[in-house]
Every structure is written in structure tokens, then in C-alpha cells.
Amino acid sequence: MSEGAGLTRLTGSGNGNGECGADDCPNVYKTERGTFVVQGDVFSGFTPPGGEGLVEIPESVLQEAIRVLGW
């Protein structure tokens, strides 16, 4: 389940909700520092400050991450 750059993939099981394409599922990763990295479609609702970005992911992806962490 480990990925490169010190990331552990918590989600992306392809839960059948039609949220995945060819290896481009929205995902949540946990870093070695205990922070999270979110992979998903770029959200364009507003422009964040320079050097920051926003992504939009389905609720089911966060629910899966919470389940994997046992929260």
C-alpha cells in the first residue's frame, strides 16, 4: 500500500461509484509527517493564494480514508 515519496495510499479501492477512470481515482494519501495529500480534480471555485492549490474529491473517498485509519 505504500507509494513513492513517503506517501501511503489510504483510498482508491475502486468502490464502484463510478469515480475512477484509468488509474486516476480520487485518493487520499498519508505522509511520513502525518499530513495528508489529496489527489482529485482541480477545483476552480476560487483562486487560492500563490503556491497553494485546491482539489475536489467525492465524500466517499474521505469516508474510505477514515475507515482505513480506524477513526
Side-chain angles (χ1 to χ4, degrees), residues 30-56:
K30 186 173 182 182
T31 70
E32 293 174 336
R33 296 184 315 273
T35 59
F36 296 92
V37 174
V38 179
Q39 170 191 344
D41 294 328
V42 175
F43 180 77
S44 58
F46 72 94
T47 303
E52 295 183 5
L54 304 169
V55 296
E56 184 175 11

